[in-house]
């Protein structure tokens, strides 16, 4: 039985880890920590856990975490990795960080996040945890930079194209839409129900910190520099991301050939489902599950390809992929504890 | 392995059975039938089941159902039991009916449903499947009348009171609120998004067909006639019921004693969670799970007790309780395949 | 042209006053004040006002307000009246307070609000501004305690009954449901989209501060003490209140006679619409308007009457009624600037 | 006083016309017709109109309409114009058609709508009613093809660019998002609350009938053929469209120059509001109003411009623009009866 610790108990990704790990046959949560909630019963913070979890939230103490757990999930907002990741590694515990601190080199991090980066030696140890693409590295990693929600949906949609060289690299536009839980559980005017409900908006236009994360991984697989236009939008719903990705296909790529490409690339990948022709994924069709559903449409009028991908931002876009990485890191089947039917409706 | 058939594949309770049974370690779905969808792949109707279920929806054929399954779930709207239940029973298969046709004696059914009742001999075989209260009868039943969604929330909240004689029997008011999925998947003006969203209303005021179902079961446990005022309301959300129940407590019933009553009655009942003083259940805290959460408030100013109970109408209020009854009927632990953490947020 | 000042520009009731007064032919907004937003253009705070309002938000200065305006709307959360109302009155300006500070005598205020009450001489000058019922007093008032949102919906539904003595005074239960904008624009965990959406809950059960406000006005019209059970609930929508009110009718009150009572009491009252038999109001049917729609159902099985009333909490439940009171105070027709078609859907 | 008839009383655009015309000082509704609701009081269909409109819905009779009204609004789904428009014109009444039948030449209509086009002589009389751009023609028109909701948002965003030649004509992508009321009031599975709520999806990818309407008007202003990629999405909200438009800007177009272009083009146009730098429109900021709000972002990294435009699909995207066209056609100020503060929140 793998023992896990969750650092950051009161946020949405922390609570989602508790939901997912409860049904995991080979992993258990032995420790839950949180700064603002330390000393409380977890059920005081989250009554929905009554009679399921009995833990008391503890203060963050790296040494104690390393004693109680084999792997720690860092489920805190970006900006906290420096405080805690080095100490965890020193104490010999493997770490999966769900925040953004380990995903970018120092200069890009500073530019896009406006914060101080983690020490270079820590960042260099981090393996980017996009499970379907970097499984080999994840297997041996001590430190995982779990991908962001938008990058997960976007990269799973676009990587087959850039890998195959099927698309003009300077033609990529990602128009992405997310439910509000992506903003976390912090109180903020822009997350109030009355501001979000019956409303739709773009935000951080051309300035979202997930842009360089997407570009970096595309470039890595493409073997060349790629710059994308990325526009995030806020949808009046709690969970779900739909990424609508556009690009010019190169000569010779028919809809049929593109469909074959996707089915080949994701053959044997249990969590990526390619939709048949003319069928496009809806976010509700993956809610609560670790699936990423992908649909394709090549427009002959314009020569432009539209790739749509849908995930649950809290599962495949955060905690579910983190558990998937846990499975890979510990030699378990990738799907262990994670296969479930999406909750529809 | 228990083999089950789902009759009525395209509705929300049918699809929820597929979700719940997928994680059941000792039951499987061997057959899925549906009139309007017969001949289609289930994934054509519900793309979210891609790579999970491969079934083709079949036409309803009682004999074939009896060959393929040990227990049949009838997941159709009320009014269809006469067509199919007698034939299923004749073919020797046990049946759990999620509709309302078997829950009332013929005269009440005719009055409140405005339809022809099932044959009397069929109705008399039906056991009312409120799992926590009628477990013994359910165990030996061939035919289960699975409770309605409102009655489940209401009865779990009120039965302890009427059993203990703690409440004036003519003082009961149930003000209930439901998400829209309770109306099913049939297309109707009143279920359109633009009519429901940003809207709140009561409907069928003093005329809802769940009223006599509630009264009948209260009377049965109380040992006396009970008439209730019942007002259903429609909430702009998909899942969830909150029942706010009011009654005058009799002399001598303090908040402390009432709390003891509830914890005693539901001791050992895994799916009923009694909230501590001052804490009231929210529907989101049970979403996707088979829990019924209950909170109490005794107002000393008025001598009136308020009991709040929350369920997911599609789980404990329908398909989850149906699986719970399947477990009881087949001698499995009541919780088999059903314990899961509610999806929050 | 009546000159008005709005104190508290950044909250929802303040912004709603700006919306309503914009179409008022005989009133204008000459000044907008706010503490946190002082010095900003109002369009910086609310871009939807671009090219409609040019005001700069000013700091709160009672003397300057009195110079610039004839009537001041105090659109701040409860607890701020003492700071500002006395100074405004001293400067000779009439005041309509949309908060709760002036609605209760000192002892009840202290008990239910847990704050220090306003000076007794100020509280005694305040006239309770339920427009349809206390028009004569409002006409001559210098200071209006504008009713709370729940009390408005509840009192318009119940006052005809207690005035006519049609109902047992100890039998009243009010089960009320409100959209989230009723909680204002303050950032709070419980108002976050992800906490409210797809969720329904009761809150402040038997402890809501609107309870004594309702009781006090019922008692005043009834001429006897009345205690009610009041349960507020939060609906996942932005605007709207539905109050479902229950009571035992006295001997001799038929549905016909009750309907006559309501149509008589509200004859000539433009903003109260009594629905025909069997028709019940929905909150969307009054959205954006100053209407209060009321429907009745007498249940012969129980002898209990259900009265349903719907308002837009930000209009009839706050800013609309405040403008209605402005009209009455200045001798204009009560409906001036306020008659509009609800926004449906 | 201009007399108007509304043909198609029970749909959302019809009801929105009743809302908007109620506040119009120089126009009135003298007749309301509808096939399915003929003979009913309009308040039976829409209780929110109680005490505001007394009309009885009449059957559609072109001759009688021409007697009762000066201008007829055709507020029916696409496909009905042939039945009624020729007869109305013959009877000498001017017509504003809110459906799609008159917006395309026969061949494009047949291809994209899959229906029979209106007679050529009728189609040729129709003036495309994008008020801000084709005012001169609208002034003298007998027949208006009122623009579609998506085209209105898209064209107001893109026409300044194509007119000025600021953008590569083959680089345009429109990623548009709409609330559900755009689908009308017809009952359909895809419009059910439980299917739409907590869900986000694209639909009719590369196949939406508004695509050629957009292209045709862009081409007309550009003076060259333009082909666009257009992807509509369904947002879980009732009202609102946000169009996110992408294009490559040509050499020399800075953000400053682009901003000047938009403010110049729309100078004096009361319903188009250009947002300051870094500020992007949200759909809630135009709800209930006839505004179209536009924001710009030029990304120097990619040389790509993002133009965001927000409208209320039922107002500027349908009934509001229809009233604006009525104003223009009758020589009234364009804004008559239409200036109102958006309903926020």
């Amino acid at each position: 039985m793998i023992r896990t610790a969750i650092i950051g108990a009161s946020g949405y990704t922390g609570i989602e880890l508790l939901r997912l790990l409860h049904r995991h046959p080979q992993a258990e949560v032995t420790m839950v920590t949180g700064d603002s909630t330390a000393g409380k019963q977890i059920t005081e913070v989250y009554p929905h856990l009554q009679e399921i979890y009995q833990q008391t939230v503890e203060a963050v103490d790296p040494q104690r975490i390393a004693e109680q757990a084999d792997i720690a999930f860092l489920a805190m907002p970006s900006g906290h990795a420096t405080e805690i990741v080095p100490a965890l590694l020193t104490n010999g515990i493997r770490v999966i960080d769900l925040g953004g601190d380990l995903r970018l080199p120092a200069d890009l991090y500073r530019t896009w996040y406006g914060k101080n980066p983690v020490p270079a030696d820590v960042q260099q140890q981090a393996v980017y945890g996009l499970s379907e693409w970097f499984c080999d590295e994840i297997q041996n990693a001590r430190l995982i930079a779990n991908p962001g929600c938008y990058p997960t949906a976007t990269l799973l949609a676009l990587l087959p194209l850039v890998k195959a060289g099927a698309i003009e690299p300077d033609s990529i536009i990602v128009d992405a839409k997310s439910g509000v839980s992506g903003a976390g559980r912090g109180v903020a005017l822009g997350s109030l129900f009355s501001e979000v409900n019956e409303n739709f908006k773009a935000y951080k236009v051309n300035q979202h910190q997930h842009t360089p994360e997407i570009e970096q991984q595309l470039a890595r697989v493409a073997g060349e520099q790629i710059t994308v236009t990325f526009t995030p939008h806020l949808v009046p719903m709690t969970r779900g991301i739909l990424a609508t990705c556009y690009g010019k296909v190169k000569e010779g790529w028919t809809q049929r050939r593109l469909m074959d490409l996707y089915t080949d690339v994701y053959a044997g990948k249990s969590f990526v489902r390619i939709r048949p022709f003319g069928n496009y994924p809806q976010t509700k069709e993956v809610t609560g599950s670790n699936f990423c559903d992908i649909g394709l449409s090549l427009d002959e009028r314009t020569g432009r390809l539209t790739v749509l991908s849908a995930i649950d931002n809290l599962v495949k876009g955060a905690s579910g992929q983190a558990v998937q990485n846990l499975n890979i890191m510990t030699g378990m089947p990738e799907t262990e504890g994670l296969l479930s039917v999406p909750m529809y409706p």
Side-chain angles (χ1 to χ4, degrees), chain A:
Chain A
M1 196 64 115
I2 303 290
R3 300 169 308 151
T4 70
I6 298 173
I7 303 171
S10 63
Y12 291 143
T13 56
I15 213 68
E16 189 71 354
L17 283 166
L18 287 169
R19 182 175 79 88
L20 295 170
L21 289 168
H22 180 258
R23 62 159 70 169
H24 198 294
Q26 301 192 53
E28 64 184 330
V29 178
T30 52
M31 194 176 185
V32 169
T33 80
D35 278 333
S36 60
T37 49
K40 287 191 186 172
Q41 292 287 106
I42 185 76
T43 54
E44 280 179 75
V45 186
Y46 283 113
H48 74 280
L49 297 178
Q50 193 177 326
E51 284 166 45
I52 304 175
Y53 280 100
Q54 272 76 39
Q55 267 97 340
T56 300
V57 182
E58 301 183 38
V60 182
D61 173 347
Q63 193 177 335
R64 203 174 127 63
I65 293 169
E67 288 163 12
Q68 300 286 318
D70 305 308
I71 293 197
F73 294 100
L74 186 55
M76 298 178 80
S78 298
H80 292 271
T82 302
E83 299 163 23
I84 178 138
V85 170
L88 288 169
L89 294 176
T90 303
N91 278 281
I93 184 170
R94 283 182 288 174
V95 177
I96 299 172
D97 178 18
L98 285 79
D101 298 345
L102 302 169
R103 300 179 201 147
L104 293 178
D107 55 337
L108 282 176
Y109 182 82
R110 204 178 271 113
T111 303
W112 289 85
Y113 283 78
K115 295 175 183 167
N116 285 327
V118 296
D121 64 312
V122 173
Q123 207 279 323
Q124 280 150 20
Q125 290 182 58
V127 167
Y128 191 71
L130 188 68
S131 316
E132 280 74 15
W133 284 82
F134 309 121
C135 189
D136 290 350
E137 290 181 44
I138 294 165
Q139 236 163 338
N140 303 305
R142 292 178 61 218
L143 178 60
I144 297 287
N146 212 58
C149 50
Y150 286 124
T152 297
T154 302
L155 292 169
L156 291 174
L158 292 176
L159 284 177
L161 295 173
V162 302
K163 189 184 180 200
I167 194 175
E168 302 291 349
D170 66 347
S171 72
I172 300 175
I173 294 176
V174 179
D175 191 285
K177 300 89 176 173
S178 175
V180 187
S181 64
R185 209 182 184 217
V187 294
L189 182 60
S191 299
L192 291 188
F193 184 88
S194 299
E195 301 287 320
V196 171
N197 182 46
E198 270 293 287
N199 198 5
F200 187 86
K201 67 168 179 178
Y203 65 102
K204 292 190 182 176
V205 180
N206 289 319
Q207 299 188 326
H208 196 281
Q209 69 277 9
H210 285 171
T211 311
E213 182 180 338
I214 292 166
E215 291 176 344
Q216 179 172 261
Q217 301 301 328
L218 289 177
R220 171 181 173 190
V221 170
E224 61 178 322
Q225 182 74 19
I226 293 187
T227 308
V228 305
T229 290
F230 175 67
T231 317
H233 299 77
L234 193 65
V235 185
M237 64 183 184
T238 301
R239 286 173 181 243
I241 283 180
L242 188 82
T244 310
C245 308
Y246 301 94
K248 279 270 179 193
V249 290
K250 291 189 185 159
E251 192 72 33
W253 285 91
T254 61
Q255 177 124 342
R256 177 74 266 156
R257 192 175 159 207
L258 287 162
M259 189 61 81
D260 288 346
L261 169 66
Y262 277 80
T263 47
D264 284 359
V265 165
Y266 290 119
K269 301 297 182 188
S270 301
F271 294 121
V272 179
R273 302 188 296 191
I274 309 303
R275 292 296 177 88
F277 278 124
N279 189 315
Y280 305 103
Q282 311 185 13
T283 62
K284 196 192 270 284
E285 292 168 346
V286 298
T287 297
S289 82
N290 201 47
F291 290 113
C292 176
D293 284 11
I294 294 176
L296 307 175
S297 171
L298 178 61
D299 186 11
E300 295 181 0
R301 298 169 65 252
T302 60
R304 216 171 262 126
L305 173 67
T306 307
V307 187
L308 292 136
S309 73
I311 61 169
D312 182 325
N313 58 305
L314 293 180
V315 189
K316 184 61 180 169
S319 306
Q321 187 155 246
V323 172
Q324 190 178 355
N325 287 330
L326 169 88
N327 289 342
I328 296 170
M329 291 165 83
T330 56
M332 291 187 276
E334 187 181 41
T335 57
E336 192 75 1
L338 281 175
L339 279 177
S340 67
V341 179
M343 200 173 83
Y344 190 100

